[in-house]
Amino acid sequence: MIHKILVYFHENRYRILMIIAGIVIFLLLIHGLNAIVINNNKKLAENMANSYKDNNINNSSSNSSSTTIIENTSFSISNSTSSGKQLQSEQEIIEQFLTYCNENQIEKAYKLLSEDCKEELYSTISKFRENYYNVKFQEKLNFEVNTWDENTYKINMTQDILSTGKVSGDSTKRQEYITVVKESEGYKLNINNYIGKVNINRESESENVKVTVKYKKVYKDYEEYTILVNNKSTNNVLLNELKDLKTICIVNNKGIKNNAAMSEIIQSQIYVKPGEIKEANIKFYKNYKSNNIVKSFKLDNIILNCDNIENSKKTNIDIDL
């Protein structure tokens, strides 16, 4: 058997050596191409990082600039909150918060949230960690802080390519809106597109039905109003049949109407028995802008006797805000 193999090899040795040489050359070629690709990716990452740095230098040297770029590096502020001193600018506290998140300093980041934001979104540090930090900071990020509307800032988030070694294109870009508010301890933040809570406490009454708009919670893309309905009549009252979108709306300073998100209204909240006072939450999809001011809250076709809807008298309530 061995003799046959030796004879076969001797007779075909040139062909076998050529095949072996071809395999070796192929493997060397693949290795070389991989090295070229890795080197190119590294250069691309370095170029993009240098571009970030150049932009940061240009932004800091221009008085008219409204953008701050924060790379994944240690960021320190002389007047830090840990010393009990107030941060000196709105952008500084945003930069400090983002840096704390990047460096996994969750407790310090949580302390920079406003009491309003904690009450609305993250009542405990555990909820903040689970619902914000673990969602947004699965990897270290670079940030671009842009002025957007008065004390609200738009944050562009991208991968830290030097840390991750990945270049994934536009798919890695994310946005968030952060609003800076002033509390007794200094500047604090409303994060995750939450603008803030606005107390209103305006009311109007018709046909023994009184409606009070207590407050609204404003987000970047919608507003949610909390109202109280006081039924002073002797009949069961239904604020709305939830069939016509136009019958519950808010009107801004330019006369533009935003209709309620009817599908999100819980009907049990707007069914009010005689002598009952009930709270209801009504959402309106509306893009936030500080100059887009809501002037009135309208409820049309309130059914004054929902036990006999077809023959019931109806009324409207318009509340000036």
Side-chain angles (χ1 to χ4, degrees):
M1 180 67 179
I2 296 176
H3 177 72
K4 290 182 178 180
I5 293 174
L6 292 174
V7 170
Y8 178 81
F9 177 79
H10 180 74
E11 293 177 350
N12 298 277
R13 61 184 181 277
Y14 294 111
R15 183 183 300 173
I16 293 172
L17 291 174
M18 289 293 291
I19 292 173
I20 294 173
I23 293 172
V24 171
I25 292 171
F26 177 76
L27 292 175
L28 289 174
L29 181 61
I30 292 297
H31 179 75
L33 290 174
N34 282 337
I36 292 172
V37 170
I38 291 171
N39 187 52
N40 286 341
N41 282 342
K42 183 178 179 180
K43 288 182 178 179
L44 178 58
E46 291 175 350
N47 289 337
M48 291 179 70
N50 290 333
S51 176
Y52 281 134
K53 291 179 181 178
D54 291 341
N55 286 336
N56 195 25
I57 293 171
N58 291 335
N59 287 332
S60 63
S61 63
S62 173
N63 292 331
S64 61
S65 173
S66 62
T67 301
T68 300
I69 296 174
I70 313 167
E71 294 186 20
N72 173 30
T73 55
S74 178
F75 182 88
S76 62
I77 298 177
S78 57
N79 295 324
S80 65
T81 55
S82 60
S83 64
K85 296 181 180 180
Q86 180 177 319
L87 296 173
Q88 296 302 304
S89 75
E90 294 179 349
Q91 286 201 2
E92 279 182 344
I93 190 173
I94 294 174
E95 293 163 7
Q96 183 70 86
F97 171 78
L98 297 173
T99 303
Y100 281 154
C101 290
N102 238 0
E103 295 177 350
N104 196 25
Q105 299 186 56
I106 299 174
E107 185 175 349
K108 289 183 177 181
Y110 184 71
K111 287 181 179 179
L112 294 182
L113 302 187
S114 73
E115 293 303 314
D116 179 21
C117 186
K118 290 177 182 176
E119 180 181 342
E120 171 69 2
L121 298 175
Y122 312 110
S123 58
T124 66
I125 192 170
S126 297
K127 289 183 179 179
F128 172 72
R129 179 186 290 107
E130 179 180 353
N131 298 325
Y132 183 84
Y133 177 80
N134 289 346
V135 173
K136 293 181 179 289
F137 290 87
Q138 296 177 353
E139 59 189 359
K140 290 190 175 181
L141 302 172
N142 289 326
F143 305 94
E144 187 179 271
V145 182
N146 303 281
T147 55
W148 185 67
D149 187 276
E150 292 190 347
N151 60 325
T152 299
Y153 294 78
K154 181 172 72 173
I155 316 301
N156 292 324
M157 304 179 179
T158 57
Q159 283 181 338
D160 176 9
I161 54 179
L162 289 181
S163 174
T164 63
K166 300 176 182 177
V167 182
S168 304
D170 293 340
S171 61
T172 63
K173 293 183 179 179
R174 283 164 279 173
Q175 283 186 347
E176 179 181 341
Y177 292 81
I178 294 179
T179 299
V180 183
V181 297
K182 199 166 187 179
E183 295 185 345
S184 58
E185 296 181 359
Y187 289 119
K188 298 291 183 177
L189 303 177
N190 294 336
I191 62 172
N192 208 10
N193 303 328
Y194 178 57
I195 307 298
K197 178 181 177 181
V198 179
N199 291 317
I200 299 173
N201 294 315
R202 296 292 183 90
E203 63 184 35
S204 185
E205 183 174 338
S206 177
E207 300 289 345
N208 292 318
V209 177
K210 183 170 74 172
V211 177
T212 303
V213 179
K214 293 178 61 180
Y215 56 83
K216 65 178 179 179
K217 294 178 180 178
V218 182
Y219 285 79
K220 193 264 177 185
D221 296 318
Y222 68 89
E223 297 182 356
E224 185 177 77
Y225 288 72
T226 297
I227 66 173
L228 284 182
V229 184
N230 184 356
N231 182 6
K232 299 179 179 180
S233 74
T234 58
N235 298 317
N236 293 316
V237 168
L238 186 64
L239 280 189
N240 199 279
E241 291 186 86
L242 305 180
K243 294 180 179 179
D244 186 351
L245 295 176
K246 298 178 182 179
T247 53
I248 302 179
C249 69
I250 51 176
V251 185
N252 74 359
N253 51 325
K254 296 182 180 180
I256 298 173
K257 296 181 179 181
N258 290 89
N259 300 322
M262 292 291 195
S263 61
E264 299 185 42
I265 297 176
I266 301 173
Q267 192 168 51
S268 61
Q269 289 186 342
I270 60 174
Y271 176 86
V272 190
K273 298 177 182 179
E276 187 177 26
I277 299 176
K278 186 167 283 189
E279 184 176 276
N281 298 311
I282 301 178
K283 181 185 288 186
F284 301 85
Y285 286 99
K286 170 183 173 292
N287 289 325
Y288 172 77
K289 280 292 182 181
S290 58
N291 61 358
N292 184 358
I293 303 169
V294 176
K295 303 298 289 185
S296 64
F297 184 101
K298 294 179 177 291
L299 292 166
D300 292 341
N301 294 341
I302 299 172
I303 299 169
L304 299 174
N305 183 4
C306 61
D307 295 324
N308 186 11
I309 292 179
E310 292 184 1
N311 299 315
S312 173
K313 185 178 179 181
K314 296 181 181 180
T315 190
N316 303 327
I317 289 181
D318 189 348
I319 304 171
D320 291 331
L321 304 182

